[in-house]
Amino acid sequence: MDRLDDLALFLRVLDQGSISAAARSLDLSVAVASQRLQRLERGLGVRLLQRTTRRLHPTPEGRLLAEQGRALVEDLDALTTDLRQSAGSVSGTLRMTMSAAFGRQYISPLLPEFLARHPRLRLFAHLSDELVDVVGAGYDLAIRIGTLGDSSLVARPVAANRRLLCAAPGYLRRHGRPRTPAELAQHECVLLSGRDGRQDVWRLTDRRGREHAVRVQGRFETTLGELVRDAVLAGQGIGLHSLWHVHEELADGRLEAVLPDFALPESGIWAVMPQRRLVPPRVRAFVDFLVEKLGDPPPWERHAPPPARSRPRKRGA
């Protein structure tokens, strides 16, 4: 940046015809301006100006630098102007990554309204169930579901993520309905595998606050939540789901809640961002928009069955 500033000074000297005039236009002393021109010449290893009693003239090297360097300075001026303007407005390209199913079902329908609110904004959305390196891949934010691990990222909660067990009515007619968490071990369960391995230990809390951890098993295992839902809808077994993913199937009777009096650990839906001193307005605006549209209560909770509530464990119990 010092070299570009010195180049800008050199061009100003050529435009003004003297070091003193250029220094005055940039609010510099003549001595400082002269030192910076000498620094530029030393750095390039060439003489840029021929000094006469009346006027400064560029050397052939100085003329070449002026011809090719002016575009650099003008581009930098334009870039810094754009950045200053964007710092106070929602513009630029918002790059985000999110779960494929949640992105299609809940984020995608919101994007036209958000873009209409901010006509200077461009958008790039990456949908994948793989955990993406937000910083390394150059994303402004990620929408993540679940319990967050320790990291240098900054997370803002968007909505609660209530989870429940459910099965198709046909499966429950054929195999019976479990009455206790322990009976889940005797049922066919559809398992999800993620970055932490197979999720085959289900932890349920009763109304007295006691936790029941059950290791479940089944013939169907997948890394994709949509396949869990499809398999459960097809009567393949009992699945553990986020309510946002199955609330429509529960409402129309294609799925039924299993062990509804027992609560599963809640997780969250988060907007995760790189740690920055200044959050770009485009990121702040989008996160605020998500909280506005998906916040308390989220749309999938508005017609959902009430959650199971566990009583706090008594001291000494």
Side-chain angles (χ1 to χ4, degrees):
M1 290 300 294
D2 286 344
R3 183 167 291 186
L4 282 172
D5 287 341
D6 293 346
L7 174 58
L9 171 62
F10 168 69
L11 294 172
R12 187 66 63 93
V13 170
L14 294 184
D15 294 340
Q16 298 286 335
S18 71
I19 295 176
S20 58
R24 284 194 302 271
S25 70
L26 295 172
D27 198 22
L28 297 173
S29 69
V30 174
V32 168
S34 297
Q35 290 170 2
R36 285 177 49 181
L37 288 172
Q38 292 170 10
R39 179 175 66 182
L40 180 62
E41 289 181 327
R42 285 196 305 271
L44 296 174
V46 296
R47 180 174 291 279
L48 299 174
L49 294 167
Q50 294 286 358
R51 297 164 177 83
T52 65
T53 55
R54 294 187 177 183
R55 190 175 177 87
L56 294 175
H57 300 278
T59 64
E61 293 81 7
R63 193 174 298 110
L64 178 64
L65 179 64
E67 290 172 357
Q68 300 190 11
R70 191 176 295 276
L72 292 174
V73 173
E74 291 175 351
D75 287 347
L76 179 62
D77 287 342
L79 174 61
T80 54
T81 299
D82 288 346
L83 289 175
R84 290 191 189 100
Q85 291 175 348
S86 67
S89 64
V90 178
S91 59
T93 300
L94 176 65
R95 289 175 50 84
M96 57 184 174
T97 178
M98 68 198 75
S99 153
F102 187 79
R104 285 199 301 269
Q105 194 166 344
Y106 291 101
I107 303 298
S108 177
L110 300 176
L111 296 181
E113 179 181 349
F114 183 70
L115 288 171
R117 289 188 188 185
H118 305 289
R120 297 181 59 198
L121 185 74
R122 296 182 298 277
L123 186 65
F124 177 84
H126 172 263
L127 274 66
S128 172
D129 286 334
E130 298 294 326
L131 190 66
V132 176
D133 179 359
V134 176
V135 176
Y139 287 104
D140 289 309
L141 81 158
I143 307 302
R144 289 188 175 162
I145 302 171
T147 303
L148 299 179
D150 293 333
S151 74
S152 61
L153 302 176
V154 176
R156 180 178 170 187
V158 173
N161 181 43
R162 181 154 65 98
R163 300 187 300 164
L164 74 167
L165 302 179
C166 53
Y171 174 87
L172 296 174
R173 282 194 300 269
R174 293 193 306 272
H175 299 279
R177 185 182 296 271
R179 303 297 176 184
T180 67
E183 292 181 15
L184 289 170
Q186 309 304 317
H187 278 265
E188 188 75 17
C189 297
V190 182
L191 304 180
L192 183 68
S193 289
R195 63 181 183 273
D196 298 323
R198 178 188 296 129
Q199 299 176 16
D200 59 355
V201 177
W202 292 353
R203 302 180 184 276
L204 297 91
T205 303
D206 63 26
R207 293 184 179 274
R208 297 180 63 184
R210 294 177 300 190
E211 184 183 83
H212 303 260
V214 185
R215 185 173 296 278
V216 297
Q217 58 185 346
R219 294 185 299 146
F220 196 112
E221 181 178 341
T222 178
T223 60
L224 189 63
E226 288 182 295
L227 291 188
V228 173
R229 183 184 61 184
D230 292 346
V232 172
L233 281 168
Q236 296 296 303
I238 298 171
L240 192 161
H241 302 273
S242 293
L243 181 59
W244 62 262
H245 207 186
V246 295
H247 73 101
E248 294 177 351
E249 290 81 0
L250 288 166
D252 63 22
R254 286 182 289 158
L255 292 178
E256 296 181 11
V258 172
L259 295 173
D261 292 334
F262 291 82
L264 286 154
E266 285 193 7
S267 59
I269 298 172
W270 310 84
V272 178
M273 298 157 280
Q275 197 165 32
R276 289 171 172 161
R277 187 170 61 88
L278 297 174
V279 177
R282 62 183 180 273
V283 177
R284 187 168 55 249
F286 187 68
V287 176
D288 289 343
F289 177 74
L290 288 185
V291 172
E292 171 194 336
K293 296 296 184 180
L294 302 180
D296 190 22
W300 53 87
E301 290 276 5
R302 291 167 194 167
H303 304 290
R309 299 294 182 188
S310 59
R311 296 175 185 170
R313 182 179 294 183
K314 294 181 181 178
R315 191 178 301 275

